[in-house]
Amino acid sequence: MREKEIEAALVKAAKERNGMALKFVSPGMSGVPDRLVLLPDGKLGFIELKAPGKRMRLLQEKRKRQLEALGFLVFCLDSKEEIEVMLDAIVQAA
């Protein structure tokens, strides 16, 4: 399975929950997560997508820690099976 297939499934699953999975690009700042998932009631999370078994680069790990230090949820997604669990975690976040 390729990263693009997982990404397409994430976008579809977010839409099915009346949300959006926006492509996230930050000019001038490398290593930011690929997608910003926005769900009803102001719930949001950042998602870094990877092909199955692949890991985040060091800079991506650093950006993850920075966003988490600000109180945001950040996930690394490398399989379709994790999508619903990850979306549930975003919905249940305080």
Side-chain angles (χ1 to χ4, degrees):
M1 180 176 312
R2 296 175 21 187
E3 182 178 319
K4 287 204 174 279
E5 294 174 55
I6 299 167
E7 190 168 22
L10 171 64
V11 170
K12 181 180 177 191
K15 284 181 185 177
E16 288 172 353
R17 291 183 182 226
N18 298 314
M20 297 182 282
L22 304 175
K23 186 72 175 167
F24 181 57
V25 180
S26 181
M29 181 172 279
S30 298
V32 296
D34 297 311
R35 292 277 172 170
L36 175 60
V37 174
L38 306 172
L39 296 174
D41 299 321
K43 303 295 184 168
L44 70 90
F46 291 92
I47 313 299
E48 176 60 39
L49 289 134
K50 292 292 179 191
K54 298 292 181 182
R55 297 177 49 95
M56 288 193 284
R57 297 185 322 266
L58 289 176
L59 182 56
Q60 292 171 324
E61 290 279 0
K62 177 182 177 180
R63 296 292 181 232
K64 179 181 186 293
R65 287 190 304 273
Q66 288 174 324
L67 291 167
E68 289 172 337
L70 292 170
F72 294 105
L73 295 174
V74 185
F75 300 89
C76 183
L77 181 63
D78 73 347
S79 76
K80 289 182 182 180
E81 292 75 25
E82 296 173 350
I83 292 172
E84 293 301 324
V85 172
M86 184 225 33
L87 292 176
D88 286 344
I90 293 171
V91 167
Q92 295 169 6

